Amino acid sequence: MSLPRPTVDTLRRYFPILTWSREYTKDTLTSDVVAAVIVTIMLIPQSLAYALLAGLPAEMGLYASILPLVAYAIFGTSRALAVGPVAVVSLMTAAAVGNLAAQGTPEYIAAAITLAFISGLMLLALGLFRLGFLANFLSHPVIAGFITASGILIATSQLKHIFGISASGHNLVDLIGNLIANLGNTNPYTLVIGVASVAFLFWVRKGLKPLLLSFGLKPRMADILTKAGPVMAVAVSILLVFVFGLQDRGVAIVGNVPMGLPPLSMPSFSLELWGQLFLSAILISIIGFVESVSVAQTLAAKRRQRIVPDQELIGLGASNVAAAISGGYPVTGGFARSVVNFDAGAETPAAGAFTAIGIGLAALLLTPLLFFLPNAVLAATIIVAVLSLVDFTILKKTWAYSRVDFAAVTVTILLTLLVGVEVGVSAGVALSLVLFLYKTSRPHVAEVGLVPGTQHFRNINRHAVETSPKVVTIRIDESLYFANAHFLQDLIYDRLAKDPQIEHVVLMCSAVNEIDMSALESLEAINTRLKEMGICLHMSEVKGPVADRLKRSHFLSEISGEVFLSQYDAYMSLTAEPGDPLCMEQRKAS
Amino acid sequence: MSLPRPTVDTLRRYFPILTWSREYTKDTLTSDVVAAVIVTIMLIPQSLAYALLAGLPAEMGLYASILPLVAYAIFGTSRALAVGPVAVVSLMTAAAVGNLAAQGTPEYIAAAITLAFISGLMLLALGLFRLGFLANFLSHPVIAGFITASGILIATSQLKHIFGISASGHNLVDLIGNLIANLGNTNPYTLVIGVASVAFLFWVRKGLKPLLLSFGLKPRMADILTKAGPVMAVAVSILLVFVFGLQDRGVAIVGNVPMGLPPLSMPSFSLELWGQLFLSAILISIIGFVESVSVAQTLAAKRRQRIVPDQELIGLGASNVAAAISGGYPVTGGFARSVVNFDAGAETPAAGAFTAIGIGLAALLLTPLLFFLPNAVLAATIIVAVLSLVDFTILKKTWAYSRVDFAAVTVTILLTLLVGVEVGVSAGVALSLVLFLYKTSRPHVAEVGLVPGTQHFRNINRHAVETSPKVVTIRIDESLYFANAHFLQDLIYDRLAKDPQIEHVVLMCSAVNEIDMSALESLEAINTRLKEMGICLHMSEVKGPVADRLKRSHFLSEISGEVFLSQYDAYMSLTAEPGDPLCMEQRKAS
């Protein structure tokens, strides 16, 4: 049976697996399996830990690392993205669901599953309607600031597990306050395990690989062993708790983790719950997508591959829906994990499916071993992982480069730390947009003159240029639209009030990319006012699309002067002697 | 005693009355008094009618027309603006307060007074912090659409008074539905009075002035008599009701209006009420300000005067605070009334103060006469006044000129009519901004070449231009910022993928008014990627402020090619034979 060509193309577009699976070879298989083994080793403790961070039972971390990975392997376009639970989204899940139900209750779990479902549907919808561009409205600095602040919040939120005390809160002030208030209840055994784990994991990151290499191990093997650091910490700590019965001395342990594959789960369809989760789901979807796409793009560029952002939305959407129907919680592409997957040689999304098999086997076979795993070790894993996300250089960079970006980052970081993740990132996005609009509403404007010996016009305040007393040329460095329509009027009237010699005003439109209806009305008003004053209004270097638009109005027939192709033409015509060949009609009238 | 100069300037800035009162002469006085008399005649029925529209007792309309006018006379900068109750703001007041309390209750009145107070404080704050530019984000078409839709809503909401039935609702569907449902209760006497009033008032607008002129009256006198049309309708209808006892036949009348000057009132300081009114107050403040400023600007331009928008905020803020402490409700500058004031010869804001005296006298002396005034006549006044606001040509204009503006107008009109004023105008503003951002996120981009015989570069698809196979010049017609940072990367990579001959990419930045941090990172990524491909990246016509910014980053030292002053320089250098003098370092490396 052969399908018609357009059907095949559509199928390929929505199912990238159909494309890459056709070129699948034994070599690719080997590479993918090796990468999957390494990622699995890394993912087992991470998935448990992130579930803990989200306030969910440990097994939900495993569940979120099985079916969602298979879904992404079918629908995703990145060859190296490793999908699953990640730190920031887990924190956001805790913040969103924590407002609605108490941790440990069935309502809390149901809300987390529903959050994954809503977020999945949103991502799918954005992908199907090709609205991926919306993610562009998160500026790089805002994301960087948000990730840094989230890293600090997450690390702080895990300190309670290191001390073996309870302390809750969704912002830094609450977290630290509650930590200090409960510090008296510190469990010494937990503290020793926690601090030792953190120290060990940091050492693994920095010191283990050089050590292994100096022992003569091959770099590849040294790499794998380094990645297995958290698994070692997990294994050793389980053994210690078991042997010394530390659970009876107050060391909090993971406890009973159900054995077996993920259960089938159903999201809630309560309209009230959907309403309460709606905004959180938007934020989680967008943050998850942006984080995921940026790592996917970076990795794809390294191998000269391309990803398709709109299809990525579909891939991540499918993953989240898969999470929701298999007892998981919101997932996305993880930064560190994807880099490991890439470095380990993953060549196709099949590596993700093999990882899912690995985690599935763990869920089937290893869960009884996790009974004695101390929470403090999982917390240590999280702390070490997220501290690598913390990077304040963005503050320095933006301070040097752009105060507007600096303001957006600072607000994002401060509000994320002091109020919470949702407020922080929303404020960052809102502030970026408002500041952008503010800038465009008071555009840079230059009066320009001819650079001698060229046909080029530059700012009279920055360059030695030639001008004429009766011609003033104003270059507007912004599109003309409703937010700056009044600005233009004020500007021109103010300029003319200063100088009675002026006979011609030329608006140099090389930087005007749009003239909207409001701006058109302002131009009409300017034209009328200038006519009354006996001054001609001209335009130069009007771009094609803008000129096309103007042709649909009456403005071009009403303008008192001319529209010149180039500013040089305008200047030459208007300064030519004798007489003013242009604007005759109006000269006669006055 | 003489004050230091800066103090005098500051006082003059915040109290424009100090400036114009120094030039006040007998002639100005005469002009202002004549204008005040005409406006008073017009304002008496209007103020009663708009109070009715806002769901408030008739006397609150009078109260809102006394102290607020005095406050504006002190703080306002427009010489002709007539402040007081206006139709659209009255409708918005009804919508805002109607959600919180039932009409006719003390809570309803208290909420309206509080709304004026909050709105006044907001306007004052915006003025003191010079945030008047925020009003620019309301595009002309959105305002035009909103005013038109409000006019229809207002006229429809008054039909119940014409029929003498009760019918409520804040949108067209509810209003019409309730009207039809209650049509059986129509009071024939009321209907006759209502229809006759509407017909009479329309005839006054169109037919009275020509008739009076043909009788030999002077135009000035004819004008005044025409403006007195509503007062005539009021007087005649009062007489009719009184003589025939129509109030006993079911004709709704205004009833007891307290005699005397406005009482001192206190806004509520309930935090809950402030919270509930907050968003409505923002919308009323902004809509009121925009309407007021646009008429003030138009009138000022006619006499070559200027208004100061930030001080206008203070003037309107003071007026609303004055309304709140003297038993009024939100006020702003009215369109029709200001034009009448201007045409009647008002020369200074003192005309407003004299109008206040006129309304004060009416409140002191005439209120007993208003007892028998039928609501239907007031409704007729409103209907005739607002139908002149309805103007659908904005749909035609925007359709021809810009689909984006058309979409914003259509959404504003439809949502205002079908949902309500607050949702309508908010959606219009939000949509304008989103569409603007959307446009800038996918900017127009042109590949350009040299127009032969000039130094000018234009789009290769629109003009016959000269190009070189190894140099591609891309002109980006938009500022580079976070929303289009990815777009640029995709664009350049796609362009290069098509053409292996390319050795130089020139970004022509004549239309780039800003490169923010996100875009800088994209440029760095592009530069690195191009370096790897053995292609040089150059820039040309980078504007002063953008270049200054770039100098603060490492980009200019990392860029593989050069930054040229003009595109012509770039093209000449890069196409010059033999060899490529530029980008040497990288040539050596490759």
Side-chain angles (χ1 to χ4, degrees):
Chain A
M1 192 187 83
S2 86
L3 289 164
R5 189 75 216 163
T7 314
V8 171
D9 286 346
T10 307
L11 276 175
R12 290 234 171 99
R13 172 156 183 261
Y14 289 113
F15 296 89
I17 191 172
L18 297 177
T19 308
W20 58 259
S21 61
R22 286 152 52 102
E23 305 151 5
Y24 211 75
T25 64
K26 262 197 192 162
D27 286 349
T28 335
L29 178 68
T30 315
S31 305
D32 283 350
V33 168
V34 171
V37 169
I38 295 176
V39 172
T40 304
I41 292 171
M42 186 180 175
L43 186 51
I44 292 174
Q46 270 194 1
S47 62
L48 301 169
Y50 291 148
L52 195 77
L53 169 58
L56 294 165
E59 65 270 20
M60 285 182 75
L62 293 174
Y63 300 162
S65 311
I66 302 175
L67 217 52
L69 278 67
V70 177
Y72 185 82
I74 298 170
F75 295 101
T77 60
S78 163
R79 304 269 170 131
L81 195 71
V83 169
V86 307
V88 173
V89 168
S90 299
L91 176 71
M92 293 179 82
T93 301
V97 178
N99 293 328
L100 306 178
Q103 278 193 20
T105 61
E107 289 74 31
Y108 190 95
I109 295 175
I113 289 176
T114 308
L115 185 61
F117 190 67
I118 304 176
S119 160
L121 292 186
M122 282 179 180
L123 290 164
L124 283 173
L126 288 174
L128 291 173
F129 293 112
R130 308 200 186 182
L131 297 175
F133 77 92
L134 282 176
N136 293 340
F137 291 110
L138 265 180
S139 77
H140 297 195
V142 166
I143 299 169
F146 176 68
I147 300 282
T148 288
S150 302
I152 295 172
L153 264 191
I154 294 170
T156 313
S157 76
Q158 297 307 301
L159 287 179
K160 63 179 175 191
H161 296 298
I162 303 288
F163 287 95
I165 58 184
S166 63
S168 60
H170 292 309
N171 63 58
L172 209 58
V173 179
D174 288 357
L175 281 170
I176 293 180
N178 290 336
L179 265 182
I180 292 175
N182 292 313
L183 220 51
N185 306 326
T186 301
N187 179 290
Y189 300 98
T190 309
L191 186 61
V192 169
I193 296 177
V195 171
S197 305
V198 170
F200 171 73
L201 292 173
F202 268 120
W203 173 77
V204 164
R205 290 215 156 199
K206 308 269 170 189
L208 183 59
K209 199 176 162 189
L211 189 74
L212 292 173
L213 291 176
S214 72
F215 285 172
L217 255 78
K218 286 190 186 148
R220 179 99 198 209
M221 200 59 210
D223 245 0
I224 295 180
L225 283 176
T226 308
K227 295 289 175 301
V231 168
M232 293 184 247
V234 164
V236 171
S237 66
I238 289 173
L239 215 63
L240 283 174
V241 173
F242 176 69
V243 170
F244 296 104
L246 292 180
Q247 76 279 14
D248 298 331
R249 306 197 178 220
V251 173
I253 54 174
V254 167
N256 194 33
V257 178
M259 203 161 113
L261 288 176
L264 213 65
S265 63
M266 271 287 275
S268 154
F269 288 98
S270 143
L271 261 189
E272 197 198 341
L273 184 62
W274 280 52
Q276 289 164 333
L277 291 173
F278 191 78
L279 285 179
S280 304
I282 291 182
L283 290 176
I284 287 185
S285 302
I286 293 185
I287 293 284
F289 173 63
V290 168
E291 213 192 323
S292 181
V293 153
S294 70
V295 58
Q297 257 165 349
T298 311
L299 297 178
K302 288 197 185 180
R303 291 207 191 124
R304 301 281 159 97
Q305 296 163 345
R306 298 299 299 267
I307 63 158
V308 183
D310 284 331
Q311 182 62 25
E312 281 301 285
L313 283 165
I314 294 176
L316 293 175
S319 296
N320 276 292
V321 170
I325 61 170
S326 63
Y329 73 101
V331 294
T332 193
F335 185 81
R337 205 179 304 148
S338 300
V339 172
V340 168
N341 194 34
F342 180 88
D343 288 342
E347 289 196 20
T348 75
F354 299 141
T355 305
I357 294 173
I359 301 286
L361 289 173
L364 270 177
L365 307 173
L366 301 182
T367 46
L369 300 179
L370 298 175
F371 187 87
F372 289 106
L373 173 59
N375 286 343
V377 174
L378 292 180
T381 328
I382 296 179
I383 291 174
V384 175
V386 296
L387 284 183
S388 68
L389 302 177
V390 175
D391 177 7
F392 280 104
T393 56
I394 188 68
L395 284 176
K396 208 180 122 198
K397 273 203 243 171
T398 50
W399 175 258
Y401 186 69
S402 153
R403 298 294 147 90
V404 165
D405 282 318
F406 178 78
V409 182
T410 311
V411 165
T412 308
I413 293 181
L414 286 180
L415 286 182
T416 304
L417 289 178
L418 300 179
V419 185
V421 274
E422 299 191 341
V423 170
V425 75
S426 313
V429 172
L431 190 65
S432 309
L433 293 178
V434 168
L435 290 172
F436 172 72
L437 291 170
Y438 177 72
K439 279 186 290 183
T440 60
S441 79
R442 304 195 159 183
H444 180 253
V445 167
E447 201 174 321
V448 296
L450 181 64
V451 179
T454 71
Q455 299 184 3
H456 193 63
F457 285 76
R458 292 305 281 248
N459 193 337
I460 56 171
N461 297 321
R462 287 175 176 262
H463 301 267
V465 291
E466 185 191 317
T467 56
S468 151
K470 59 178 191 170
V471 178
V472 57
T473 302
I474 294 172
R475 189 189 74 203
I476 304 137
D477 289 357
E478 194 60 68
S479 292
L480 294 174
Y481 78 115
F482 55 88
N484 57 29
H486 277 295
F487 176 89
L488 179 68
Q489 268 177 287
D490 290 347
L491 177 97
I492 292 181
Y493 299 158
D494 284 347
R495 176 69 186 83
L496 296 181
K498 283 191 217 140
D499 198 340
Q501 274 194 294
I502 299 168
E503 292 172 15
H504 300 277
V505 172
V506 184
L507 296 181
M508 180 174 171
C509 297
S510 48
V512 175
N513 307 310
E514 160 87 21
I515 295 179
D516 82 348
M517 191 74 200
S518 305
L520 177 71
E521 288 175 5
S522 275
L523 285 178
E524 286 170 347
I526 292 168
N527 184 45
T528 308
R529 176 86 174 264
L530 261 53
K531 249 186 209 164
E532 291 166 8
M533 297 168 75
I535 298 173
C536 259
L537 178 69
H538 309 269
M539 297 172 89
S540 73
E541 312 214 352
V542 179
K543 298 204 183 129
V546 176
D548 289 349
R549 176 67 58 82
L550 287 178
K551 278 178 201 143
R552 288 194 247 143
S553 74
H554 299 292
F555 182 67
L556 293 183
S557 60
E558 281 162 15
I559 188 170
S560 56
E562 299 239 333
V563 177
F564 296 96
L565 182 70
S566 77
Q567 174 55 31
Y568 187 70
D569 291 351
Y571 187 75
M572 286 297 142
S573 303
L574 298 177
T575 53
E577 294 295 336
D580 298 315
L582 303 149
C583 207
M584 283 302 283
E585 214 180 321
Q586 181 241 322
R587 295 267 151 223
K588 264 183 279 169
S590 68
Chain B
M1 193 186 85
S2 86
L3 289 164
R5 189 76 215 161
T7 314
V8 172
D9 285 348
T10 308
L11 277 175
R12 290 235 171 99
R13 174 159 179 259
Y14 289 113
F15 298 87
I17 190 174
L18 298 176
T19 309
W20 59 259
S21 61
R22 287 151 53 101
E23 304 152 2
Y24 212 75
T25 64
K26 260 192 193 165
D27 285 351
T28 335
L29 178 69
T30 315
S31 305
D32 284 349
V33 168
V34 171
V37 169
I38 295 176
V39 172
T40 304
I41 291 171
M42 184 180 178
L43 185 51
I44 292 173
Q46 271 193 358
S47 61
L48 301 169
Y50 291 148
L52 194 78
L53 168 59
L56 294 165
E59 65 269 21
M60 286 183 76
L62 293 174
Y63 299 162
S65 310
I66 302 175
L67 218 51
L69 278 67
V70 177
Y72 184 82
I74 298 170
F75 295 101
T77 61
S78 163
R79 305 266 170 132
L81 195 71
V83 170
V86 307
V88 172
V89 168
S90 300
L91 176 70
M92 293 178 80
T93 301
V97 179
N99 293 330
L100 306 179
Q103 278 192 19
T105 61
E107 289 73 32
Y108 190 94
I109 293 175
I113 288 176
T114 308
L115 185 61
F117 190 67
I118 305 175
S119 161
L121 292 186
M122 283 179 179
L123 290 164
L124 283 173
L126 289 174
L128 290 173
F129 293 112
R130 307 197 188 186
L131 297 174
F133 77 91
L134 284 176
N136 293 338
F137 291 110
L138 265 179
S139 77
H140 297 194
V142 166
I143 299 169
F146 175 68
I147 300 282
T148 288
S150 301
I152 295 173
L153 263 191
I154 293 170
T156 313
S157 76
Q158 296 307 303
L159 287 179
K160 62 180 176 190
H161 296 299
I162 303 289
F163 286 95
I165 58 184
S166 63
S168 61
H170 291 309
N171 64 57
L172 208 58
V173 179
D174 288 358
L175 280 170
I176 293 180
N178 289 336
L179 265 182
I180 293 174
N182 291 312
L183 220 51
N185 305 325
T186 301
N187 179 290
Y189 300 96
T190 309
L191 187 61
V192 169
I193 295 175
V195 171
S197 304
V198 170
F200 172 71
L201 292 172
F202 269 119
W203 172 77
V204 164
R205 290 216 156 198
K206 307 269 169 192
L208 183 58
K209 198 174 161 189
L211 189 73
L212 292 173
L213 292 175
S214 73
F215 285 172
L217 256 76
K218 285 188 185 148
R220 181 95 197 215
M221 200 60 210
D223 245 0
I224 296 181
L225 283 177
T226 309
K227 296 289 177 302
V231 169
M232 291 185 248
V234 164
V236 170
S237 65
I238 289 174
L239 215 64
L240 282 175
V241 173
F242 175 70
V243 171
F244 296 105
L246 294 179
Q247 76 278 18
D248 299 328
R249 305 194 180 220
V251 173
I253 55 173
V254 168
N256 195 33
V257 178
M259 204 160 114
L261 288 175
L264 214 66
S265 62
M266 271 287 277
S268 154
F269 289 97
S270 144
L271 262 189
E272 197 199 340
L273 184 62
W274 279 52
Q276 289 163 332
L277 291 174
F278 192 77
L279 285 180
S280 304
I282 292 182
L283 290 176
I284 287 185
S285 303
I286 294 184
I287 292 283
F289 173 63
V290 168
E291 215 194 322
S292 182
V293 153
S294 68
V295 56
Q297 259 166 348
T298 311
L299 297 179
K302 288 197 185 179
R303 290 205 193 129
R304 299 282 160 93
Q305 295 163 345
R306 299 299 298 269
I307 62 156
V308 183
D310 285 331
Q311 182 61 25
E312 281 301 285
L313 283 164
I314 294 176
L316 293 175
S319 295
N320 276 292
V321 170
I325 60 171
S326 62
Y329 72 100
V331 294
T332 193
F335 185 80
R337 206 179 305 148
S338 301
V339 172
V340 168
N341 194 32
F342 180 88
D343 287 343
E347 290 197 17
T348 75
F354 299 140
T355 305
I357 294 173
I359 302 285
L361 288 173
L364 271 175
L365 307 173
L366 301 182
T367 46
L369 301 179
L370 299 174
F371 187 88
F372 291 107
L373 173 60
N375 287 343
V377 174
L378 292 180
T381 326
I382 297 179
I383 290 175
V384 174
V386 297
L387 284 183
S388 69
L389 301 177
V390 175
D391 177 8
F392 281 106
T393 56
I394 189 68
L395 284 176
K396 209 181 120 197
K397 275 203 242 171
T398 50
W399 176 258
Y401 186 69
S402 154
R403 298 295 146 89
V404 166
D405 283 319
F406 178 79
V409 182
T410 310
V411 165
T412 308
I413 293 181
L414 286 180
L415 287 182
T416 304
L417 288 179
L418 301 180
V419 184
V421 275
E422 300 192 340
V423 170
V425 74
S426 312
V429 172
L431 190 64
S432 307
L433 292 178
V434 168
L435 290 172
F436 172 73
L437 291 170
Y438 176 73
K439 278 186 291 183
T440 60
S441 79
R442 305 196 158 182
H444 180 254
V445 167
E447 201 174 321
V448 296
L450 181 64
V451 179
T454 72
Q455 299 184 5
H456 193 63
F457 286 75
R458 291 307 281 247
N459 193 336
I460 57 171
N461 297 322
R462 286 175 175 260
H463 301 266
V465 291
E466 186 189 318
T467 56
S468 151
K470 60 179 190 169
V471 178
V472 58
T473 302
I474 293 172
R475 190 191 71 202
I476 304 135
D477 288 356
E478 194 61 67
S479 291
L480 293 174
Y481 78 115
F482 56 88
N484 57 28
H486 277 295
F487 176 91
L488 179 69
Q489 267 177 288
D490 290 348
L491 177 98
I492 291 181
Y493 300 158
D494 284 347
R495 177 66 186 85
L496 295 180
K498 282 190 219 141
D499 197 341
Q501 273 193 293
I502 298 168
E503 292 172 17
H504 299 278
V505 171
V506 185
L507 296 181
M508 180 173 169
C509 298
S510 49
V512 175
N513 306 310
E514 160 88 20
I515 294 180
D516 80 349
M517 191 73 201
S518 305
L520 177 71
E521 287 175 6
S522 275
L523 284 177
E524 286 170 347
I526 291 168
N527 184 45
T528 309
R529 176 87 173 264
L530 260 56
K531 249 186 208 164
E532 291 166 9
M533 297 168 75
I535 298 173
C536 259
L537 179 69
H538 309 268
M539 296 171 91
S540 73
E541 312 213 353
V542 179
K543 296 203 184 130
V546 176
D548 288 350
R549 177 68 55 83
L550 287 178
K551 278 177 201 144
R552 289 194 246 143
S553 74
H554 299 293
F555 182 66
L556 292 184
S557 60
E558 282 162 14
I559 188 169
S560 57
E562 300 238 335
V563 177
F564 296 96
L565 182 70
S566 77
Q567 174 54 32
Y568 186 70
D569 291 351
Y571 187 74
M572 286 297 139
S573 303
L574 298 176
T575 52
E577 294 295 336
D580 298 314
L582 302 149
C583 209
M584 283 303 283
E585 216 179 320
Q586 180 242 321
R587 295 268 149 221
K588 266 184 277 170
S590 69

